[in-house]
Amino acid sequence: MWRVKPLDAILATAEKKSLHRSLGAFQLTMLGVGAIIGTGIFVLTAEAAQKAGPGMIAAFIIAGFVCAVAALCYSEMSAMVPVSGSAYTYSYAVMGEMIAWMVGWALILEYAVAAGAVSVGWSGYVVGLIENAFSIDIPNALVLGPMDGGIVNLPAAGIALVVTALLVIGTRESAAVNAILVLVKVSALTLFCVLAIPVIKTENFIPFAPLGFAGVAAAAGSIFFAYVGFDAVSTAAEETKNPQRNMPIGLIGSLVICTIFYILVASGVIGTVGAQPVFDAAGNGLRPGSPEMTAACSTLAADHVVCSKEALAWTLRKIGWTQIGNLIGLAAGLALPSVILMMMFGQTRIFFVMSRDGLLPSGLSKIHPKFHTPHVITIITGVCVSAFAAFFPVGVLADISNSGTLFAFAMVAITVMVLRRTDPGRKRPFRTPAVWLVAPVAILGCTFLFFSLGHETKLMFLIWAAIGLVVYFLYGFRNSHMAKGIVEVPELSPDVPPDSVPPMPGPK
C-alpha cells in the first residue's frame, strides 16, 4: 500500500503534448477572480453571520490567507506534474498508493458534496426570486430539506439532475458563455456594494465577535468554500509565461481582489440589516441547520439575514431595492448552474483517473455509444448530488466539502516538502517561495480550519475515510495497476475516456 507510482511514468503522457505558454499575470489574475467569486459569497454569507456575526469579515481574511499559502504549494506541483488527477496524482508519485487513494477519496467528497451545496444555494435564490417577482408563496415542504423545516428541496434536486443530463449528452460551456457568466457574477456583486455600502450603520458592527474567536474560526472553516476555485490558476501553470514570476502574482492577486470584494459585500450586509447571531435562552448561538435554528427562524418569520436562503437579494429588498434584489437573484440563478456543472465534471475526472490506475473498476468509465460520454459514472454522480441537494442544508454540505478539500490541500503541502528532499534536481517551472515556511503554514492553516468545523462534519469525514479504506483494501489494493506491475498507462481523453484501460508492459 506504500508503493509509489514513478513520477517519470506519470510525466510520460504529459511530454506527448505541448501547451503554448501565453498567459501573463493579468490573465491569470482574472482567471482566478472568475473562478473564485460565486457560490460562497452568494450562498454562505448568512451561515457565516450566524457563526461569527460581524466577525465574518475577519473569517474571510483568515480563509483567504490559508488559501494563499496552500495555492503556492499547489502551484509547484501542478507546474511540475501537469497531468490529470490533481492532488491525487501528486500524492501517488510521492507518498504512496494508500495515501493517494485517501486523497482521491477526499476529492470525490469535495466535488460531489460541493455540487450539492451549490444546487441548494441556487434553489434559495430562484425560489426567492419567483416568490417576490410573482407574489406567491411556495410551500416550504417542497423547497427545503428536513433540516431546514421542509421535506424535500425539489428545485435543488432538479437542477442537479438537469446538469447531469447535460453532462451525459456532452453539452459544454463555451469560453464566451463562461466569460459572460463571470461578468454577470462580478456585476451583481459590484451593484450590491454600490447600493448597500453608502447606507451602512456603524452600530450594526457592535459587538464585532459576539461568539468570540471560536465563532470567527468556525465561520472561516465554513467560508473556505467561498475561495475554492483558485486551483484554476494553479492548474494553468503549464500555459503561463514566466511562471516563477506570474504564478504568485496571479494567485495572490486574485485572492486579494476576491478577499476585498468579500469584505465589501459582507460589510454591506452587516452594516445595512445587521448580522448578529440568533441566540437561545441561555445565550448560546444556535447552530445553523439545527432544529432550534429552524424553530427560531420560524418565530422570526425569516426577518433576519441568518434565516435567509438568498442573503444578498434579501438584504437589498430590506433596504428598499426590491427589483434590484430580484436582479441579484436572477444573476445567481443564471450563474450558479455553471458552477454545478464544473464541479460534477471534476468529480467524474477524479473517478476516471482512479479507474485508469486500477483503483476503481474500469466499468465505471464506460462511454455512451451515441454521446461518447462516461454516462455510467456521470449518472451515478448526478443521482448522489441530487440526493444531497434534496435533503441537506447548504451550510452542512459546504462544511463536509471543505473537510475533503482541506485534507487534500494539506497533503499537497506535505508532498511539496517531501519531493524537495527526495528529488531536489527535478525541473520545477514554478518553485514555492520560502517553501520550508510556506508549506508548514499551509499544513497548519488547513488543520486549523478543519478542526474549526463542526463535530458532526469531522465525524462524517472520518466515517467517509473509513469507508474509503474498506473499499481500497477490498478492491484497489489487489487490482491497482501498480500491484500488477503496470507502470505507464495512457492519459485519459477529457472527451472520450477509454471503456477499459489496456494493459501496458511494466519495467523489465
Side-chain angles (χ1 to χ4, degrees):
M1 64 184 179
W2 303 114
R3 50 197 173 223
V4 173
K5 188 173 183 180
L7 192 56
D8 289 330
I10 295 174
L11 291 172
T13 54
E15 293 172 358
K16 298 173 185 177
K17 63 179 181 180
S18 177
L19 296 179
H20 178 58
R21 294 188 179 274
S22 60
L23 299 177
F26 177 77
Q27 290 94 333
L28 282 173
T29 302
M30 290 302 100
L31 174 65
V33 170
I36 295 169
I37 287 181
T39 310
I41 190 62
F42 276 107
V43 175
L44 293 179
T45 306
E47 296 281 335
Q50 175 57 22
K51 294 179 178 179
M56 66 174 163
I57 292 175
F60 275 119
I61 296 173
I62 293 171
F65 173 76
V66 173
C67 276
V69 289
L72 291 173
C73 297
Y74 204 102
S75 294
E76 177 167 324
M77 293 305 301
S78 64
M80 186 169 51
V81 192
V83 297
S84 301
S86 184
Y88 159 78
T89 300
Y90 312 152
S91 300
Y92 211 156
V94 179
M95 292 188 290
E97 185 175 273
M98 189 181 74
I99 299 297
W101 165 269
M102 294 308 298
V103 171
W105 195 248
L107 289 174
I108 291 171
L109 183 71
E110 171 195 345
Y111 284 117
V113 178
V118 182
S119 299
V120 177
W122 177 88
S123 172
Y125 272 93
V126 170
V127 169
L129 173 63
I130 293 173
E131 289 184 334
N132 283 275
F134 299 101
S135 300
I136 60 175
D137 185 21
I138 302 175
N140 288 340
L142 302 179
V143 296
L144 296 176
M147 297 177 68
D148 278 335
I151 297 176
V152 59
N153 192 330
L154 291 179
I159 191 64
L161 293 177
V162 168
V163 170
T164 301
L166 291 176
L167 285 171
V168 168
I169 65 175
T171 301
R172 286 193 186 178
E173 308 164 270
S174 68
V177 171
N178 187 60
I180 292 172
L181 293 178
V182 170
L183 181 62
V184 167
K185 291 188 294 186
V186 173
S187 299
L189 294 183
T190 301
L191 181 59
F192 176 87
C193 293
V194 168
L195 296 177
I197 290 176
V199 294
I200 283 177
K201 299 175 183 177
T202 55
E203 58 266 27
N204 285 335
F205 290 85
I206 302 172
F208 183 75
L211 297 177
F213 183 74
V216 174
S222 294
I223 60 180
F224 181 82
F225 190 82
Y227 288 97
V228 175
F230 71 82
D231 53 344
V233 179
S234 302
T235 54
E238 192 188 4
E239 301 169 75
T240 301
K241 295 182 294 186
N242 190 7
Q244 191 61 33
R245 170 187 177 273
N246 292 332
M247 284 300 296
I249 293 175
L251 285 164
I252 305 302
S254 60
L255 285 167
V256 167
I257 291 172
C258 290
T259 301
I260 293 173
F261 227 138
Y262 289 173
I263 290 173
L264 291 174
V265 171
S267 299
V269 172
I270 297 164
T272 53
V273 297
Q276 295 297 329
V278 177
F279 297 92
D280 61 16
N284 301 312
L286 299 178
R287 180 173 56 84
S290 66
E292 295 80 8
M293 187 69 195
T294 300
C297 284
S298 177
T299 303
L300 291 168
D303 196 27
H304 196 298
V305 70
V306 301
C307 300
S308 174
K309 304 300 177 186
E310 35 154 9
L312 305 189
W314 181 87
T315 298
L316 289 181
R317 295 187 191 112
K318 292 294 289 185
I319 62 174
W321 296 98
T322 301
Q323 295 305 319
I324 301 298
N326 290 341
L327 285 177
I328 297 291
L330 179 62
L334 291 173
L336 294 184
S338 67
V339 182
I340 303 170
L341 185 146
M342 295 311 297
M343 287 181 173
M344 290 179 62
F345 183 77
Q347 156 80 82
T348 57
R349 282 298 282 166
I350 295 298
F351 266 122
F352 291 155
V353 178
M354 295 175 76
S355 177
R356 178 191 67 187
D357 290 335
L359 291 171
L360 290 171
S362 60
L364 292 176
S365 296
K366 286 185 177 180
I367 61 172
H368 194 281
K370 177 180 179 181
F371 301 123
H372 304 291
T373 56
H375 61 293
V376 175
I377 195 55
T378 300
I379 292 172
I380 293 173
T381 299
V383 170
C384 292
V385 170
S386 181
F388 295 150
F391 298 109
F392 291 94
V394 62
V396 171
L397 294 173
D399 283 358
I400 294 172
S401 174
N402 286 346
S403 67
T405 307
L406 291 166
F407 173 76
F409 287 172
M411 290 299 103
V412 170
I414 294 173
T415 299
V416 168
M417 292 191 295
V418 171
L419 207 55
R420 284 288 186 100
R421 288 292 189 188
T422 59
D423 197 357
R426 184 170 292 276
K427 180 182 177 182
R428 290 170 169 82
F430 173 80
R431 297 176 66 89
T432 303
V435 67
W436 301 109
L437 172 63
V438 170
V441 169
I443 296 167
L444 291 174
C446 290
T447 303
F448 168 73
L449 291 183
F450 178 86
F451 282 102
S452 297
L453 297 170
H455 296 301
E456 296 88 348
T457 301
K458 288 178 284 191
L459 178 61
M460 193 166 294
F461 177 80
L462 292 176
I463 293 173
W464 177 255
I467 294 172
L469 285 174
V470 171
V471 174
Y472 172 69
F473 284 111
L474 288 179
Y475 183 86
F477 179 73
R478 293 176 177 83
N479 292 281
S480 75
H481 293 157
M482 290 298 297
K484 297 178 179 180
I486 303 171
V487 178
E488 184 178 341
V489 182
E491 172 70 348
L492 283 170
S493 164
D495 295 305
V496 187
D499 183 43
S500 61
V501 181
M504 297 290 290
K508 295 181 179 179

